[in-house]
Every structure is written in C-alpha cells, then in structure tokens.
C-alpha cells in the first residue's frame, strides 16, 4: 500500500471550512474532540456524535465560547447503533442544517490486547461493531447528503496496525484493515460518479486515553497532543485536498 503525506508546511486558511457542515464521530474526547474544535475554528458547523453526552456538551461549550458556528449534538452509542438511528441522524441534519460536506469517522474502541487464541468473541464483536459495522451504517445513511454537496470529504481513521499486522493487536488491527478496505472500495465506487472524495488517515502515536491504555508504561507526553496533528485533519476535510481520493495518509 502506498502511503501519502501532507504537503510540507501545510498552513490552512482560517476560512478553510466556512459554510461547511461536518459530522465527527467520537467528538467528545481525544483526537475527535480536537478535530471538532479545529473544524469549528476554521468555520465549519460541526455535528458532534458520541456516547457520553457530558463530553459532547463540554465540546459544544468550547466551540460557543470561541464564537464558532453553533454546533449540534447527536448522542449515539455506536456499539448499539441501528440503521434507524443513522437514518434519523441523516434526516435531522438535512432538516436542521440542510447539507453535509464532511464525515470524519474517528470513534473506535481498542478491545483486547491478547493472542487470537485466547481472544473473547464478545470483545471481537464489540470492536467490529463500533469500528466497522457502525461506520458502514453511518456512511450509507450519509451518502445521499454528501453526494448532494458541491464537494464532500469522507475521512476514515486508520492505524499503523491496520496497514501491517502485529501480534496481539487482534480485532482492533483487523478492524483497521477493514477500514482501509472500506475506504478503497468506496473511493473506487464514487470516483467517477460523485464529488465525494474518500481517504484514510493514520494519526500515529498521539497522547490520548486510547494510547495511554494501549501503552501504560509509556510517558504520555512522549507523543504529540491531538491538537498537534490537526493540520492533516484539516487538509483532508477542506478543499485543499479536492480531487484526492482512495489514498492512505499519515498525520505524522
Ligand atoms: P480515545 O481518546 O479513546 O477517543 C475515542 C473517542 O471515540 C471517544 O470520544 C469515545 O467516546 C468515542 N467512542 C468510543 N466508543 C464509542 C461508541 N461505542 N460510540 C460512540 N463513540 C464512541 O481515542 P483516540 O486516541 O482519540 O482515537 C481516535 C481514533 O484514532 C481512533 O479511530 C483510533 O483507533 C485512532 N488512532 C489513535 C492512535 C493514538 O495513538 N491515539 C493511533 C492510531 C489510531 P467516550 O469518550 O465517550 O468514550
């Protein structure tokens, strides 16, 4: 797989996402929280999706106090999300906001870090449900709206272990390979029939709750903060990446 890098010294315009509506999953914490704040700071109306309402409300408040466009909150636990939940969200976005220009699939769970031989099926299913199946349901629901936008961007979140398999990363790694595959299939499908581009982004080691839980012995500050990797998230969501599709990017 050929990996892509950002243009060097990428410097997004302050108005990069002005007038755009962007849905961010897992927007209450970690990288998703930073992406929601960065998108709002660059002019977007952000739809905040996540499972912990208090965290989404805190992000909402941060956007409001920074004078960003009024965001929307959509509480949804992707472990139990149904077709009907995803279709309701699409209908609500269409009714309240009129358009959808971007979708950042960011929410994921780590699951168990253990050999396949002793992995539990319950954890395997939860990881596949949140990291893969819910992405499918949300993507399918949102595609009609995204395809109506003048140009739209879907960004899938990958991982190093979704590009090269590694022992003991189990369902999480398999789910990230599935994510890369999903990105490629969808990008190929849409390339000649819509203005929606589809790419994947590996954030790389980033100081979040997930990273701290995967590497408890590591000094958290040895990795960049989520805010530090936002240029890649802005580049792929804004018009500077127009025409680029089906590519796997690294944020670091
Ligand atoms: P994080 O700090 O654990 O944040 C994950 C976010 O996803 C949280 O907002 C969480 O909500 C939400 N989420 C988890 N399960 C959910 C569910 N069932 N329904 C709805 N929302 C759910 O993780 P992160 O490090 O920011 O990771 C973001 C993305 O980057 C993930 O796709 C991850 O695989 C990828 N990634 C991260 C790293 C890294 O070093 N951090 C490296 C490679 C890839 P709650 O806060 O409410 O639990």
């Amino acid at each position: 797989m050929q990996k892509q890098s950002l243009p060097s010294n990428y410097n997004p315009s302050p108005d990069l996402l002005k007038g755009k509506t962007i849905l961010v999953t897992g927007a209450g914490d970690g990288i998703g929280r930073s992406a929601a704040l960065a998108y709002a700071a660059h002019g977007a109306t952000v739809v905040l999706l996540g499972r912990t309402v208090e965290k989404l409300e805190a992000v909402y408040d941060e956007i409001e106090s920074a004078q960003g466009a009024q965001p929307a909150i959509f509480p949804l636990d992707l472990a139990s999300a149904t077709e009907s939940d995803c279709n309701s969200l699409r209908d609500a976005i269409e009714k309240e906001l009129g358009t959808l220009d971007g979708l950042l699939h960011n929410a994921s769970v780590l699951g168990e870090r253990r050999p396949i031989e002793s992995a539990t099926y319950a954890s395997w299913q939860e990881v596949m449900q949140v990291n893969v199946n819910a992405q499918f349901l949300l993507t399918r629901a949102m595609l009609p709206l995204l395809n109506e936008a003048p140009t739209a961007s879907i960004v899938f979140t990958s991982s190093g272990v979704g590009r090269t398999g590694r022992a003991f990363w189990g369902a999480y790694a398999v789910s990230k390979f599935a994510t890369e595959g999903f990105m490629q299939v969808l990008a190929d499908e849409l390339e000649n029939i819509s203005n929606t581009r589809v790419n994947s982004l590996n954030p790389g080691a980033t100081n979040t709750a997930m990273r701290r839980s995967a590497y408890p012995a590591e000094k958290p500050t040895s990795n960049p903060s989520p805010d530090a990797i936002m240029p890649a998230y802005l580049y792929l969501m804004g018009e500077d990446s127009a025409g680029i599709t089906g590519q796997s990017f690294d944020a670091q």
Side-chain angles (χ1 to χ4, degrees), residues 26 31 51-52 55 77-78 106 108 157-158 172 176 203 206 208:
I31 294 168
R51 64 180 169 183
T52 310
K55 290 186 181 182
D77 184 346
L78 296 173
N106 162 79
S108 281
T157 306
S158 187
Y172 177 83
K176 294 299 186 180
T206 308
T208 66

Side-chain angles (χ1 to χ4, degrees), residues 15-28:
D15 285 344
L16 179 78
L17 302 173
K18 200 170 165 114
K20 290 188 182 288
T21 301
I22 297 169
L23 170 60
V24 178
T25 72

Side-chain angles (χ1 to χ4, degrees), residues 194-215:
S194 98
N195 289 323
T196 302
R197 63 194 181 281
V198 188
N199 295 287
S200 74
L201 181 56
N202 168 21
T206 308
N207 183 8
T208 66
M210 183 184 284
R211 177 75 193 186
R212 293 189 292 272
S213 133
Y215 293 88

Side-chain angles (χ1 to χ4, degrees), residues 234-252:
L234 288 160
Y235 173 72
L236 285 179
M237 205 47 88
E239 293 304 310
D240 293 326
S241 60
I244 296 175
T245 196
Q247 305 295 313
S248 299
F249 282 84
D250 283 314
Q252 304 184 41

